[in-house]
Amino acid sequence: MDWGGRWYDFLLYLPERWLMSKWRKALWRFVGRPTGRLLEIGVGTGKNFPFYPPNTEIWAVDINPSMLARARKKLSNATTPVQLVLADVEALPFADKSFDTVIATFVFCNVPNPIQGFREIRRVLKPEGTAYFLEHMIPMTPRKARFFDRLDPWVYKAIGDHINRRTDQNVELAGMSIHRVIPLTSDGVVRLIIAKPNKGGTS
Ligand SMILES: C[S@@+](CC[C@H](N)C(=O)[O-])C[C@H]1O[C@@H](n2cnc3c(N)ncnc32)[C@H](O)[C@@H]1O
């Protein structure tokens, strides 16, 4: 569903203040101070701008022009210059092995073919590069997972969001190895996944 950038910021104002900003801080603590080139996937309205590390060449893509337009207005929140690009994660307009770091926050619940999206991330990552995904997904507890599976078609119909994505599995199916999974909620619905491209591998 295209809520537009303005609506996105309005609807997420309180969740962002209460919870999401804490999760973002956790993600950026792990990212630390990388050098080289960093790519953000699904930048939305630029909620990660204040966390971008200095001394890094930053590119940020989104498939939705209205989100990008809102992000463009907030570029002054970024501590370092950012190149904003209209692009689909399933077909990234970047050369192979051209980024040191890739991050995405709350994106893969929307992407139609998440495995293809992760394949593209693996393609553009340098062999020694690292990807960080902060995502909501299927709970870790089997009973709750079954409930999310049943609810998913209704939620998707209502807001265009999948609540039962097997994001860890999808990352691995796309040819990346998971180095760490850090659950940020007790049921694992929100997790931080740190992954690296498989050596010389294709999925
Ligand atoms: C829930 S918002 C999250 C925005 C931002 N990452 C954040 O943390 O606030 C999901 C974002 O992913 C973008 N998105 C969805 N599918 C995409 C795709 N295939 N390629 C690139 N961006 C996509 C949407 O347009 C939207 O801006």
Side-chain angles (χ1 to χ4, degrees):
M1 177 182 286
D2 178 8
W3 287 343
R6 198 182 284 252
W7 272 105
Y8 181 76
D9 280 347
F10 175 72
L11 292 172
L12 287 193
Y13 180 74
L14 289 177
E16 187 67 37
R17 291 198 70 150
W18 282 332
L19 281 172
M20 294 170 81
S21 59
K22 282 188 209 137
W23 296 331
R24 290 184 205 283
K25 278 183 196 143
L27 170 117
W28 288 100
R29 264 200 304 275
F30 279 97
V31 175
R33 292 284 177 104
T35 50
R37 299 178 89 214
L38 182 149
L39 171 65
E40 175 166 9
I41 302 292
V43 62
T45 59
K47 291 191 188 301
N48 288 305
F49 283 174
F51 300 99
Y52 282 170
N55 307 319
T56 313
E57 183 187 323
I58 301 200
W59 293 74
V61 303
D62 203 287
I63 201 170
N64 183 333
S66 130
M67 292 294 219
L68 275 184
R70 185 102 174 138
R72 193 158 281 120
K73 288 193 181 141
K74 297 198 210 164
L75 276 174
S76 60
N77 293 342
T79 50
T80 188
V82 184
Q83 308 289 329
L84 291 174
V85 179
L86 183 66
D88 183 347
V89 66
E90 292 185 36
L92 289 171
F94 301 112
D96 295 0
K97 303 177 187 169
S98 53
F99 286 93
D100 302 270
T101 309
V102 176
I103 75 126
T105 62
F106 306 108
V107 174
F108 282 89
C109 46
N110 286 151
V111 175
N113 183 346
I115 298 174
Q116 175 57 21
F118 290 125
R119 274 195 200 113
E120 277 293 272
I121 290 173
R122 188 208 61 204
R123 179 183 67 75
V124 302
L125 260 178
K126 292 182 182 172
E128 67 282 5
T130 310
Y132 300 83
F133 305 114
L134 170 59
E135 295 288 336
H136 72 76
M137 58 197 88
I138 190 91
M140 283 168 157
T141 48
R143 212 168 145 198
K144 212 165 176 181
R146 283 195 295 278
F147 177 65
F148 272 47
D149 275 336
R150 278 201 296 272
L151 209 61
D152 183 69
W154 302 99
V155 175
Y156 185 71
K157 218 177 247 178
I159 61 169
D161 214 56
H162 286 289
I163 56 168
N164 66 343
R165 286 269 154 101
R166 272 72 174 167
T167 303
D168 318 26
Q169 285 173 29
N170 292 342
V171 167
E172 290 184 322
L173 286 169
M176 285 192 272
S177 325
I178 293 186
H179 276 230
R180 281 190 78 172
V181 177
I182 300 132
L184 297 174
T185 54
S186 55
D187 54 9
V189 165
V190 180
R191 281 174 237 172
L192 169 56
I193 296 172
I194 304 176
K196 283 179 171 287
N198 287 344
K199 295 268 178 281
T202 50
S203 60

